[in-house]
Every structure is written in structure tokens, then in C-alpha cells.
Amino acid sequence: MSAVLVINSGSSSFKYQLIEMASEQTLASGLIERIGETTGASTHKCRDAAETFTRDLPIPDHTAGFAIMLAAFEEHGPSLAAHPPVVVGHRVVHGGARFYEPTLITPQVERDIDDLSELAPLHNPGALQGIIAAEKAFPDVPHVAVFDTAFHQTLPPAAFTYAINADLAERYRVRRYGFHGTSHQYVANAAARFLERPVGELDQIVLHLGNGASVCAVRGGESVETSMGMTPLEGLVMGTRSGDIDPGALFHLHRKAGLGIDDLDTLLNRGSGLLGLTGHGDMRDVVDAAQAGSAQAQLALDVYVHRLKAYIGAYTAQLGRLDVVSFTAGVGENSDVVRRLALEGLEVLGIRIDAERNAARSRQARVISTDDSPVTVLVVPTDEELEIARQSLSLASAD
Ligand code: AMP
């Protein structure tokens, strides 16, 4: 029996999952958060116990966080002696143009991830701290980095190049990289498996609609176009991020409202999207408020859906044909309202939704299009941790 430990680290928290790979079952999962604050918190859930164990205690750094995680396994199970991880898989947000596949972590890879912090200052430093602490906690097993950008390394130059000064772009690595790659890859493969079709034959659009949101066009299992760019800010309307906006608006806000570069960064990344439009960053609140008659919430929903439709149309044009559209992540898996509004009127693209199938609630992959719809529309729950575990084990076994 082999188990894989998957670590998803941020700057002040990390999530973990221990997955038994023969059955692909999660044996335990948890969250260590508020690292470095006066009081931190740990949460641990073991598959065989109904209870979720939580503790509040100071967690000075990631290394202390891993000691707390090990203690939680010891105390609440499962025993790591009975299920020793054969490899530890780490999610790393930005792999730049350098990392295009799961990568065995070496001191050089750590330096490269550090170097890429320049492109992802909010994400890569936390991942690196998690890697270094996890190596101390598990010194005898391989550690593998799985990059959010890697799946998009197949984007053609026409899709990843910004139309700015070419020398400047090259010197400062300004191009589109794309994110959520692990999820897009997992869902594209899961959709093909669900439909019992080879992924190589399918033209797909994957809509990852969570707190962050992105679209990906997948041809024959490879990403050929995606909506996030150099950073995870471009593209769709998100919980707190604006997505696409005319850069000219930023020059205007700088000149007229006196906003500096950090103010604009915060505005677009943390104070925009659904939150900026309505005061609510959570789609559930926005849908509830719209249904209760709030014109502001209705407008936010309209803007969200308008953008989504434009991307579906554009990506259908880029692909040239379309077999499958899949919805995934928090909003995509749960909001029949967003799914209905996003696909309404797209019969011209061969998309016909079945209202009853769309409204049904389930945690399983399912079809929500009509039987005569030329394009099959699916809801496919994503599982980034399982994808990281699979890729990490596959690399470790090949070595
Ligand atoms: P994720 O980033 O994939 O965890 O997705 C989180 C987001 O999913 C939350 O911020 C919610 O806006 C959204 N979400 C979860 N459940 C629902 C639901 N039933 N209806 C609408 N949105 C939902």
C-alpha cells in the first residue's frame, strides 16, 4: 500500500492530505493556519472518525506547523507508521517558463522557485517555506513540486504573447502563463473518462469557477488557451479580483484618484470582483441578494455571466469545434443559477441545457445537457490534491 502526502502551502497556512493511492481514498486531511500570529489553529480530520479535531495554539513558523501536523496524526490517526508517505507532493503556484512538468525538488529547484517569487510574490515564498519545513519533517522520501502553471506550457506563442515591446517583455518575463492548471488537467481527463472517450479526441472547455476563476480550452488533452495571464488577475470576474480591465483605467485612477501602485494592486486583487461590486465576495450571498431584489447584486451576476459567455464563445472559436464543456470548483459545482445563466442562449454553439438535470444536486460527475445537445455539458468535481498525488507518485515511481 502506498500513501502520498500532499501539501498546499501559503505564507501563513498550509493544507495537507494523506491519500492512499491504491484506492485513491483520502485517509486524513487538515489545515494549519495563522502561522506566525499570536494564536494559530490546527484542524485534522481522519477518514475513520466522524469528528474534526481542532486546536488553537501558537504556531511560530512552518516547521512548528509540521510538528503539530505529525502530532495530530499520532493522536487522532491514521498512524503514519502504518501508512508512511512514499512521496510528498507540493503545490507550487508559479513555475514560470522553466517548469513544465512535476519536478523532483533539489536545492537548485528550490533556488528556482525562489527566483520565480518575483513573478508570484503572494504565492511562491509560502510554498518554498512549506517545502523546506516538510523536508525536515520527512527527510527520507522524495519531495515533488507540481506547478499550477505547468499544464499551460502547451499554449502556442499566439496565445501567450502580450502585444507590448518584445525586448522589455523578454527581459522581464512578461507573458501569459495561466493558472489552475492542475484542476483543468484533472477535469479534462475526468470528463473524458466519464464519457468513455479518449481525451486525445476531444475539444473541451473547462470552467474552473471558484473564489479564483479561469477558463481553459483543451485540445486533445493539452491546454491551448486560458484566461489567466502573467498573474492570476486576468480573465473572469472572481470573488475579489477584477479579471479583465482596460489598463488605461489604472493610469486614470493613478492620475485622478491619486492611487499608487500598491493601492491599485490591492484594489484589483482584493477589493474588486463580486466583493467590489456588491460588498459580498461569496457567490452564494450575491445570488441570494439578487433573488431578494438587490439591483446591485443582479448587476454583479450579470457582469459575471456576461464575461463567462464571451470567453465560451471566444474559446469555441479558437478550438474550431467543441465536444464538452465542464463546470468545476465551488461556484461551478454548486450554482445551478450561474450555470444556467452562463449557457442560456448558447444554442447557436450547440449547447443545450436540461433544466432539471442542471438543478439536481450531486457530488458526482454528471451530464446537465439534453440528450440531443451537440455539445455535452458536464459538472465535474475537481480534485487538485488527488491530481498532485498522482503526478508525484508517478514521478517518484519512475525514478
Ligand atoms: P473554491 O475556491 O473552489 O473553494 O470555491 C469557493 C467559492 O464557491 C465560494 O466563495 C462561493 O462563492 C462558491 N460557492 C460554494 N457553494 C456555492 C453555491 N451553492 N452557490 C454559489 N456559489 C457557491
Side-chain angles (χ1 to χ4, degrees):
M1 275 213 309
S2 42
V4 175
L5 182 67
V6 177
I7 305 292
N8 184 349
S9 299
S11 55
S12 64
S13 67
F14 67 85
K15 289 192 270 191
Y16 59 86
Q17 245 185 59
L18 184 70
I19 302 175
E20 205 290 299
M21 294 308 288
S23 60
E24 297 196 331
Q25 294 290 310
T26 298
L27 300 176
S29 59
L31 170 67
I32 304 286
E33 60 187 330
R34 301 204 299 274
I35 295 171
E37 293 181 26
T38 325
T39 321
S42 78
T43 307
H44 183 87
K45 172 97 183 70
C46 172
R47 187 190 57 175
D48 299 329
E51 204 182 333
T52 299
F53 299 95
T54 56
R55 270 176 85 189
D56 288 335
L57 74 175
I59 308 169
D61 54 24
H62 283 70
T63 302
F66 274 93
I68 290 163
M69 181 194 82
L70 292 176
F73 272 104
E74 184 94 349
E75 207 174 321
H76 308 299
S79 149
L80 286 176
H83 305 277
V86 293
V87 53
V88 180
H90 296 266
R91 174 182 181 226
V92 182
V93 166
H94 218 309
R98 201 165 309 170
F99 295 109
Y100 50 87
E101 57 189 1
T103 303
L104 195 65
I105 298 174
T106 62
Q108 181 58 48
V109 170
E110 288 173 9
R111 283 192 290 277
D112 290 343
I113 292 172
D114 190 32
D115 173 54
L116 288 162
S117 291
E118 192 181 292
L119 296 176
L122 300 177
H123 296 104
N124 275 28
L128 189 56
Q129 279 174 290
I131 288 169
I132 291 167
E135 284 171 332
K136 286 187 200 145
F138 298 93
D140 301 324
V141 300
H143 290 248
V144 171
V146 176
F147 298 90
D148 253 26
T149 47
F151 182 56
H152 304 299
Q153 287 297 311
T154 45
L155 290 184
F160 72 65
T161 305
Y162 288 119
I164 63 165
N165 178 282
D167 295 335
L168 202 61
E170 189 177 341
R171 182 147 15 115
Y172 293 100
R173 300 186 277 187
V174 178
R175 49 158 282 185
R176 310 183 67 252
Y177 295 97
F179 297 87
H180 289 147
T182 311
S183 176
H184 288 302
Q185 185 173 14
Y186 175 86
V187 171
N189 286 321
R193 219 172 10 245
F194 177 78
L195 296 171
E196 299 180 357
R197 299 270 309 272
V199 72
E201 280 179 6
L202 296 174
D203 284 293
Q204 310 193 47
I205 292 179
V206 179
L207 306 165
H208 177 112
L209 310 178
N211 192 29
S214 69
V215 193
C216 185
V218 182
R219 178 184 292 134
E222 293 188 345
S223 169
V224 292
E225 176 67 295
T226 194
S227 60
M228 283 179 167
M230 175 168 162
T231 75
L233 183 53
E234 194 177 344
L236 297 175
V237 177
M238 310 182 212
T240 67
R241 281 173 250 165
S242 62
D244 297 334
I245 181 171
D246 178 354
L250 307 184
F251 312 147
H252 176 76
L253 287 172
H254 171 65
R255 292 190 189 113
K256 296 292 176 190
L259 297 184
I261 204 75
D262 291 334
D263 301 324
L264 291 169
D265 192 333
T266 305
L267 177 75
L268 263 55
N269 273 302
R270 298 182 193 278
S272 296
L274 298 176
L275 181 69
L277 288 168
T278 66
H280 304 292
D282 190 311
M283 182 55 95
R284 280 167 289 208
D285 299 331
V286 176
V287 170
D288 288 351
Q291 285 173 345
S294 159
Q296 216 179 4
Q298 186 59 52
L299 175 63
L301 200 50
D302 291 347
V303 174
Y304 187 97
V305 165
H306 182 88
R307 183 93 47 94
L308 205 46
K309 262 189 180 157
Y311 270 97
I312 295 169
Y315 284 18
T316 306
Q318 297 291 9
L319 286 167
R321 59 187 285 278
L322 182 61
D323 299 300
V324 189
V325 173
S326 296
F327 284 88
T328 196
V331 178
E333 291 169 31
N334 297 301
S335 180
D336 55 314
V337 174
V338 169
R339 292 194 300 258
R340 173 171 55 77
L341 295 173
L343 300 184
E344 225 166 47
L346 295 189
E347 290 78 10
V348 67
L349 301 180
I351 296 173
R352 294 186 201 134
I353 283 291
D354 181 303
E356 218 167 284
R357 287 177 181 174
N358 182 44
R361 301 197 66 78
S362 160
R363 288 181 171 275
Q364 304 299 316
R366 59 199 185 274
V367 179
I368 59 166
S369 46
T370 59
D371 289 338
D372 65 353
S373 178
V375 174
T376 306
V377 183
L378 303 177
V379 176
V380 179
T382 193
D383 194 338
E384 289 166 280
E385 283 75 15
L386 179 57
E387 183 65 33
I388 292 171
R390 284 177 180 164
Q391 294 189 14
S392 301
L393 184 63
S394 160
L395 178 68
S397 315
D399 265 17

